[in-house]
Amino acid sequence: MSSRNRAISILELLSHHTWGLSAHEVADRLDIPFAATQRLLSGLIESGYVHGGTGKADLFRLRVKLPALGLAYLGATGVTDLVQPILDDLAKRTGELVRLAVIEADSLTWVAKSQGARSGLLYNPDTDAEVHLPATANGRAWLSCLDERQARVLIEKSAPDAAGAIDALIHDVAVARAQGYAMVSESYEAGTSAVAAPIRRGATGNPIGTVSVAGPTIRMTPDRIQEFVPWLLASAAELGAAASSSPLFKGP
């Protein structure tokens, strides 16, 4: 792994640990020699991306520079103006968490969300930026836009140890393809269910992202999910129509 890739790995790791990690913890978790870890952290501190000292017990955490860059980029792409009102409307209608993911090469990345629940159980998912394709409604919604060979390749790449379950996943993807949306129940996180639809560029029909509604399974019953589907599909179509105005939706 090059020094640049190691530095990026450190930034990604620290993004999940807002209270910081020691240099030893960073080195252990990323399997990087401790001396190299110290050099990389020092470089990131000088660049203004990481806050921390140089002692062995000091904790290192991200400075606001990196998230500020991300927010500035998303703002420049028009996501705030174009996308957020659509997500907010769907979240208000459903009373659940609505999330948007965009396609980048062979992956889906979360970029925006709106929380519709105001009381009771709140679904607060993990903070991984990349969507896990085989187990999430968003992942399956995108896979449903691909042919079986392409879907199988991405599933094997995302879950190399799930060889025995691939045929079952391919069947679920085929069901999602037929109905135009994907559903999962306690597949990715215990106690949660979700429904997602692909977002297609209006002019070409090419998939460029996904939009989902997710929440506690106790509320996200099959009947209630079916109530959400027309709103979800309408929002996906609206997002697809708006996509031409934003460089964020480039598609694969």
Side-chain angles (χ1 to χ4, degrees):
M1 185 186 299
S2 67
S3 295
R4 180 170 56 187
N5 289 340
R6 284 177 168 178
I8 292 173
S9 295
I10 289 174
L11 293 175
E12 291 176 343
L13 175 64
L14 292 179
S15 72
H16 297 287
H17 298 276
T18 55
W19 293 101
L21 293 172
S22 69
H24 274 294
E25 288 175 314
V26 173
D28 291 342
R29 292 176 187 236
L30 297 178
D31 195 24
I32 301 174
F34 180 69
T37 300
Q38 285 186 306
R39 289 195 299 271
L40 290 166
L41 286 169
S42 295
L44 291 170
I45 289 171
E46 292 177 5
S47 300
Y49 291 105
V50 171
H51 174 82
T54 56
K56 292 183 179 181
D58 288 335
L59 296 181
F60 298 85
R61 56 183 175 81
L62 291 182
R63 299 181 71 96
V64 297
K65 181 177 181 179
L66 188 60
L69 286 175
L71 291 173
Y73 172 71
L74 290 177
T77 63
V79 164
T80 302
D81 295 331
L82 294 172
V83 169
Q84 199 62 49
I86 301 173
L87 302 184
D88 290 344
D89 179 67
L90 183 57
K92 183 178 180 180
R93 286 172 176 267
T94 61
E96 301 293 353
L97 178 68
V98 171
R99 291 204 287 177
L100 170 73
V102 298
I103 299 171
E104 292 188 311
D106 290 338
S107 64
L108 269 176
T109 302
W110 301 115
V111 296
K113 66 179 180 180
S114 182
Q115 177 61 265
R118 294 292 178 257
S119 62
L121 291 173
L122 297 181
Y123 173 43
N124 293 306
D126 58 54
T127 56
D128 286 342
E130 190 169 317
V131 180
H132 185 62
L133 300 183
T136 62
N138 290 74
R140 295 184 185 187
W142 176 35
L143 292 172
S144 72
C145 300
L146 310 176
D147 62 37
E148 181 177 329
R149 182 191 61 81
Q150 293 173 309
R152 189 177 292 271
V153 168
L154 288 181
I155 290 172
E156 291 174 346
K157 180 180 177 181
S158 300
D161 299 327
I166 288 180
D167 288 340
L169 287 169
I170 290 295
H171 173 267
D172 291 342
V173 169
V175 171
R177 185 181 298 115
Q179 61 190 14
Y181 58 91
M183 295 188 299
V184 298
S185 181
E186 305 199 29
S187 175
Y188 185 58
E189 292 183 90
T192 64
S193 297
V195 57
I199 300 169
R200 297 179 181 271
R201 189 179 298 278
T204 64
N206 292 333
I208 51 178
T210 60
V211 59
S212 64
V213 179
T217 300
I218 193 171
R219 288 201 305 260
M220 293 282 288
T221 63
D223 288 343
R224 192 158 182 258
I225 287 175
Q226 289 304 314
E227 292 179 11
F228 296 164
V229 168
W231 300 332
L232 175 70
L233 296 178
S235 297
E238 192 174 358
L239 289 165
S244 59
S245 300
S246 173
L248 184 68
F249 296 94
K250 295 184 297 183

